[in-house]
Amino acid sequence: MKALILVGGYGTRLRPLTLSKPKPLVEFCNKPMMLHQVEALVKAGVTHVILAVSYRAELLEKAMRKQEDKLGIKITVSIEETPLGTAGPLALARELLTTDSDPFFVLNSDVICDFPFEEMLEFHRGHGRQGTIVVTKVEEPSKYGVVIYNGESGKIQEFVEKPTEFVSNKINAGLYIFSPQMLDRIELKPTSLEKEVFPHMAKEEDLYAFDLKGFWMDIGQPKDFLTGMGMFLKAIQQKNGAKLCHGPSIVGNVLVDPTAKIGADCRIGPNVTIGPGVVIDDGVCIKRSVILQDAHIRSHAWLHSCIIGWRSTVGQWARMEGVTVLGEDVEIKDELFVNGVKVLPHKSVTVSVPLPEIIM
């Protein structure tokens, strides 16, 4: 079986992290974002993964080549010379996707969930039509395009873009499975699956909805990245709590790489991920934050809702909050207050920044 992952754009929503790495390689819970998807696909029987890429393809290809042998699969990079939207990349990869009559998966690379690929495949084969899209329940459907479908059969009737009154609380979760005939609907040009292809498929009764159980999050921007981390850690705790860190300084769900060092009298958690080679000095308090590889948090610093980039340093008694994101190799000097700030790579912050801004 095959899968195509829509890697696409520049990762602008996740800057400044994506100024150093392509978004699919940014670590989410100590593993490159895309690897969560690829490992789940392999578990479901996928042997060939196609990456639809339009930006920094060589970095992505190099990183995924290492995974090929490890996972025993084939990885192909399909490069778009010009961005082709969400449907165009399928037309570009048509020859790769139609070497047999098996259905294939298509995923958005920003999505994190419990990836029910085996169940999706069974459901898709059961209804026998051209397409299955995964739907998930949201609290505020007015922010999304919602999916109207038959609750028993799953047959999709229509899509309603950002409804002003309640019609459904189910939205497209960005995970699909298609039969190869579906590719006849797409030309090799910039095209949107959601706006141009799916409505026609629904009209012809060729599109079904698969209801996602459990958590789901689009982690393409910092605040959602942190929210998704909390959901993911909760799912780990429910399935295999031994993977999480436990100890006198740990509060709630915390994931710590074995090579990280944590000092005395700290309070770490809830909802914290600490990456490889991280050093946390004595008396540090960290809540709802991600500390990426080789970062150093000096004594008595206080962090809430932050992403600390690779090899960055947070000074003694510094206080950081409000979805602050440090790029790679950033230094925050001692005793500063930083709130809702994005700091580009290789910068040094020497004064407090009490209001959200971008430091370039």
Side-chain angles (χ1 to χ4, degrees), residues 317-332:
W317 294 99
R319 180 185 174 107
M320 296 172 57
E321 60 186 47
V323 193
T324 287
V325 186
L326 307 186
E328 179 184 11
D329 178 37
V330 167
E331 184 185 15
I332 304 291

Side-chain angles (χ1 to χ4, degrees), residues 293-308:
Q293 184 165 359
D294 296 329
H296 187 178
I297 314 298
R298 297 194 185 277
S299 61
H300 305 290
W302 188 96
L303 280 69
H304 188 293
S305 296
C306 297
I307 302 175
I308 308 300

Side-chain angles (χ1 to χ4, degrees), residues 75-127:
I75 293 174
T76 304
V77 176
S78 173
I79 300 174
E80 306 165 37
E81 298 303 329
T82 54
L84 291 169
T86 50
L90 277 72
L92 186 64
R94 187 188 308 269
E95 282 184 24
L96 297 169
L97 294 169
T98 52
T99 54
D100 53 41
S101 59
D102 278 343
F104 56 87
F105 293 99
V106 174
L107 327 180
N108 288 331
S109 66
D110 294 349
V111 170
I112 198 81
C113 66
D114 263 338
F115 300 123
F117 295 132
E118 285 146 318
E119 296 92 328
M120 276 171 75
L121 183 57
E122 193 181 329
F123 175 78
H124 180 77
R125 287 193 161 132
H127 66 67

Side-chain angles (χ1 to χ4, degrees), residues 167-213:
V167 286
S168 165
N169 59 1
K170 296 294 175 69
I171 66 161
N172 174 353
L175 308 171
Y176 318 120
I177 187 164
F178 299 124
S179 300
Q181 310 88 283
M182 176 269 187
L183 293 169
D184 296 340
R185 299 173 175 273
I186 305 171
E187 293 177 48
L188 184 52
K189 63 179 188 181
T191 316
S192 163
L193 275 175
E194 299 81 2
K195 292 189 173 80
E196 295 169 76
V197 180
F198 289 167
H200 291 293
M201 290 178 74
K203 203 176 274 184
E204 292 167 28
E205 302 189 349
D206 249 332
L207 196 60
Y208 279 66
F210 175 89
D211 223 330
L212 181 69
K213 306 287 182 278

